[in-house]
Amino acid sequence: MQISATDVIHAFRKDEPSLFIGAASVTVGLVVVGFLLMRRRFDRLLSFFAWFAILYGERLWLTSSVLRLMDSPSLLRARFGAALTFFVGVPAFLFFQETGLLGRAGRVIAYTVCWLEMALIAAIFAGAPLGLLYNLSSGLVIAGSLPLVFLAFRQRDAGRDVVVFRAGLLIFVVFVLWANTRELLGYTTYTTTVEPYGFGLFLCCLGYVAGKRALDRDQQLASLHQELEVAKRIQLSILPASFPVSEHFTVAARYVPMTAVAGDFYEFLPTSGPTAGLLVADVSGHGVPAALIASMVKMATSAQRQHAASPERLLAGVNEALCGSTQGQFVTAAYVYLDAEQGGLSYAAAGHPPMLLLRDGQVCWIEENGLVLGVLSSAAYSSTQQTLRKGDRLLLYTDGVIEAANGGAEEFGQERLGRLLTASAGRTAEEMADLILSTVQDWASTQTDDLTVVVCDCH
């Protein structure tokens, strides 16, 4: 048969709305598939919707007048088109039952309709009359859709998103029932029904719901970000701004959290005359929980100021205050008390990396560890006493410094930190603290822990 350009244009104009809706449906389905692949997590609701949207769009294109005009009719093509028409109902009913609006009864109805549709598809290729199968499929869709609509609308308490979704669902189902009823009665064929318009409206409703939820999520994220910024400022406010001016000591501290808020903490205990108390602590974990416990460490340390000259008693008091309040997390800490007039230091730690002492170009590690804080209220701690001389440089730090790993998974390590401290003899405490952080950050491929450094020079 000779096909003229006029015939093609007329067929295209006739099918233009359904072709557009079909293309939009396939596009939406592919977008959902891409979203699922990016999430790398299976979602039954979205998967069934993507399956439904793609098949529905393909169905609109394959049953268009343009395609029938360009392709001569055949029994195989007719049976394939019937199979596709029946198969579209399977993901549609599975999607509706996954919305959670249908309950147990709706789930039974949906699965029953799906199995019966699959049976009709098998009957197509078994040679059953297509007219009879189309009538059975239309009756099945009508019989399955009516109770599902009732079940979906029986819950009255719903938010705006659910109301819009139900409205779109109702419009689409009404159009489906209208189309299948007329087809069952022999009044129309699929391509001349208004069903595609109902599906287009349903897609618009789904788009509204998706856009509304995305906007709400963005607002929640913005609110959360704002709250984290406030929490960050609050946490920074509990850290001492600077070490009190002293003729005996110069102290520089650096703190770089991995996230907006973190679990590292340092404190300078106020002392008088030629003495100083320096504390560094590290809460296990990251983020807000660790930051809250770090605030508890701040309060517990402040309550132990009367024991500033006794590191073992100070840590024991902090440990007793934290036990039962850390929700399974623990705290490592190191505290050193310096007395320039007596020429000595007293050091104690709780599961913390050793303190480094640079003297006359040589580095030694000072370690006196007890149980981590917050585990056992009766834990006992001991301290070690060392001489303190003018020109000594002390380094306290958290394990994020020595455990920073490069691209080859090699940690920065204590030995490398010791060599860096040895090479810093001509630098000020401020310069040394900056050098340690910059070197560690250059070494590490990514920051995986909080970084805290406290450098103290004795004059």
Side-chain angles (χ1 to χ4, degrees):
M1 181 180 66
Q2 189 73 22
I3 302 175
S4 65
T6 303
D7 294 333
V8 174
I9 294 175
H10 178 72
F12 179 80
R13 287 179 176 176
K14 178 182 177 182
D15 291 339
E16 189 174 3
S18 61
L19 291 175
F20 173 78
I21 294 173
S25 178
V26 172
T27 301
V28 170
L30 293 176
V31 169
V32 173
V33 170
F35 174 73
L36 291 173
L37 292 176
M38 288 189 295
R39 289 182 66 189
R40 297 182 180 179
R41 188 176 65 183
F42 180 72
D43 186 299
R44 290 174 60 87
L45 180 67
L46 293 179
S47 298
F48 287 141
F49 174 73
W51 182 11
F52 173 40
I54 293 174
L55 288 179
Y56 194 91
E58 290 293 335
R59 178 192 184 193
L60 290 178
W61 277 76
L62 292 177
T63 55
S64 65
S65 300
V66 174
L67 187 62
R68 289 203 307 271
L69 189 65
M70 300 177 64
D71 188 14
S72 58
S74 67
L75 181 59
L76 179 62
R77 182 181 182 278
R79 293 191 178 277
F80 178 78
L84 179 61
T85 299
F86 298 167
F87 193 56
V88 169
V90 174
F93 279 95
L94 292 176
F95 167 71
F96 293 144
Q97 70 89 18
E98 281 294 330
T99 60
L101 300 174
L102 305 180
R104 181 176 298 178
R107 190 180 307 114
V108 172
I109 295 172
Y111 282 127
T112 301
V113 172
C114 290
W115 281 112
L116 291 176
E117 288 285 5
M118 296 300 293
L120 292 178
I121 294 174
I124 291 174
F125 296 102
L130 292 182
L132 174 62
L133 295 180
Y134 268 112
N135 289 336
L136 290 175
S137 179
S138 297
L140 182 60
V141 170
I142 294 171
S145 299
L146 286 175
L148 295 186
V149 171
F150 171 75
L151 293 172
F153 282 83
R154 65 179 178 176
Q155 299 178 0
R156 297 184 178 181
D157 297 332
R160 179 178 295 180
D161 291 354
V162 177
V163 171
V164 173
F165 174 80
R166 285 175 175 173
L169 174 61
L170 178 61
I171 293 172
F172 177 52
V173 171
V174 168
F175 282 18
V176 169
L177 292 175
W178 172 260
N180 281 274
T181 301
R182 289 181 61 85
E183 186 167 338
L184 187 62
L185 298 176
Y187 287 118
T188 186
T189 61
Y190 171 78
T191 54
T192 59
T193 68
V194 293
E195 179 188 315
Y197 300 97
F199 184 74
L201 290 174
F202 180 52
L203 282 181
C204 292
C205 291
L206 289 178
Y208 168 82
V209 172
K212 178 69 166 49
R213 292 191 175 183
L215 181 61
D216 291 342
R217 189 178 297 110
D218 287 343
Q219 291 175 344
Q220 292 174 358
L221 289 175
S223 177
L224 179 61
H225 180 72
Q226 187 176 16
E227 291 176 2
L228 286 175
E229 285 298 318
V230 173
K232 180 179 180 179
R233 291 196 295 269
I234 293 174
Q235 185 181 34
L236 291 176
S237 69
I238 72 173
L239 299 176
S242 61
F243 186 78
V245 177
S246 170
E247 60 179 311
H248 302 282
F249 307 105
T250 299
V251 179
R254 297 292 183 270
Y255 168 73
V256 181
M258 188 186 79
T259 55
V261 290
D264 278 10
F265 171 75
Y266 66 89
E267 177 69 298
F268 307 142
L269 271 65
T271 57
S272 59
T275 60
L278 309 176
L279 173 77
V280 170
D282 182 5
V283 181
S284 62
H286 305 286
V288 174
L292 291 175
I293 297 177
S295 300
M296 295 168 57
V297 175
K298 165 75 173 181
M299 293 184 290
T301 304
S302 298
Q304 299 297 319
R305 292 180 184 276
Q306 69 272 24
H307 302 310
S310 177
E312 68 277 10
R313 294 182 64 185
L314 183 140
L315 290 183
V318 172
N319 174 68
E320 187 175 359
L322 292 177
C323 280
S325 303
T326 59
Q327 300 299 313
Q329 292 181 275
F330 57 86
V331 182
T332 69
Y335 175 71
V336 61
Y337 177 76
L338 309 173
D339 190 334
E341 187 174 65
Q342 297 296 325
L345 66 84
S346 182
Y347 173 82
H352 204 78
M355 179 176 67
L356 272 63
L357 169 63
L358 175 64
R359 176 180 294 166
D360 299 328
Q362 299 295 321
V363 173
C364 64
W365 285 261
I366 300 177
E367 186 171 10
E368 186 66 31
N369 260 325
L371 188 66
V372 294
L373 304 177
V375 175
L376 185 63
S377 60
S378 60
Y381 299 89
S382 60
S383 62
T384 180
Q385 282 70 42
Q386 304 285 336
T387 59
L388 184 65
R389 302 176 185 173
K390 292 183 178 180
D392 284 351
R393 170 167 286 178
L394 301 172
L395 174 62
L396 293 169
Y397 54 95
T398 54
D399 59 8
V401 174
I402 57 176
E403 293 178 359
N406 61 12
E410 181 183 2
E411 294 186 347
F412 191 75
Q414 290 182 343
E415 293 294 334
R416 194 171 278 104
L417 181 61
R419 292 196 297 269
L420 185 61
L421 184 62
T422 302
S424 71
R427 298 175 183 267
T428 65
E430 295 283 346
E431 293 171 341
M432 180 60 205
D434 289 333
L435 176 63
I436 292 175
L437 284 185
S438 62
T439 304
V440 170
Q441 289 172 333
D442 290 342
W443 170 269
S445 54
T446 57
Q447 183 177 346
T448 58
D449 201 355
D450 311 318
L451 304 176
T452 299
V453 171
V454 175
V455 180
C456 177
D457 287 345
C458 304
H459 307 304

